[in-house]
Amino acid sequence: MSMTMAGEIQLAATRETVWEKLNDPDVLKACIPGCEELVRSADNQFSAVAKMKVGPVSARFKGRVTLSDLVPPSSYRISGEGEGGIAGFAKGVATVALVANEEGTLLSYGVEAQIGGKLAQLGQRLISGSANKIAGEFFSRFADVVKGSNPVTL
């Protein structure tokens, strides 16, 4: 099953600050719902472990995340893939663009994802709703970190 998502969020910070936070594994780990581990394994590559619950299916996904097409501080492409045992697999690609404006920075994203296994059997509506919820939680947490109201503790 495949799906696409897109959105944007206004952040009250400079484009350079947003870029720095988007490339900080400690910030990303704190913002990704269910993330238990995010460790840089090479330049622009991370290994990750995240526990996710989608409807009745819970799984711990292990995988990797790669940043590419970096144009600091404007844009990048982030791709990832993870295995969740019998729950299935997930893989996807997102493009992220940052545009400076009067209020700070407008972050725009587009995501293409594929899932398989038990997760794919849950149906498009449940999967899309869960994916949108996870994306919303990430960006809400990220906005708090960027504006300094929820600093990341190391």
Side-chain angles (χ1 to χ4, degrees), residues 10-64:
Q10 180 63 48
L11 300 165
T14 65
R15 187 168 66 159
E16 289 74 16
T17 298
V18 174
W19 178 262
E20 179 184 316
K21 302 288 186 197
L22 277 174
N23 287 280
D24 183 332
D26 294 320
V27 169
L28 294 175
K29 179 182 176 193
C31 295
I32 297 169
C35 188
E36 298 175 349
E37 180 181 309
L38 186 66
V39 178
R40 189 177 302 272
S41 55
D43 280 351
N44 304 323
Q45 193 166 49
F46 305 89
S47 61
V49 177
K51 187 173 184 180
M52 301 282 175
K53 181 169 177 27
V54 179
V57 178
S58 256
R60 177 173 275 115
F61 286 87
K62 294 180 180 181
R64 66 176 172 231

Side-chain angles (χ1 to χ4, degrees), residues 72-124:
S74 301
S75 63
Y76 70 25
R77 177 181 167 105
I78 182 169
S79 53
E81 55 186 62
E83 286 288 332
I86 61 169
F89 72 89
K91 63 182 175 178
V93 176
T95 55
V96 177
L98 306 175
V99 176
N101 60 28
E102 290 179 8
E103 292 93 37
T105 303
L106 181 66
L107 182 153
S108 302
Y109 64 92
V111 179
E112 293 180 25
Q114 294 180 343
I115 59 167
K118 278 189 175 182
L119 285 173
Q121 296 171 4
L122 294 175
Q124 182 75 31

Side-chain angles (χ1 to χ4, degrees), residues 124-146:
Q124 182 75 31
R125 192 167 160 196
L126 181 60
I127 295 295
S128 293
S130 293
N132 283 319
K133 181 180 177 209
I134 290 168
E137 286 178 28
F138 171 84
F139 285 111
S140 175
R141 292 175 185 179
F142 187 74
D144 287 345
V145 168
V146 167

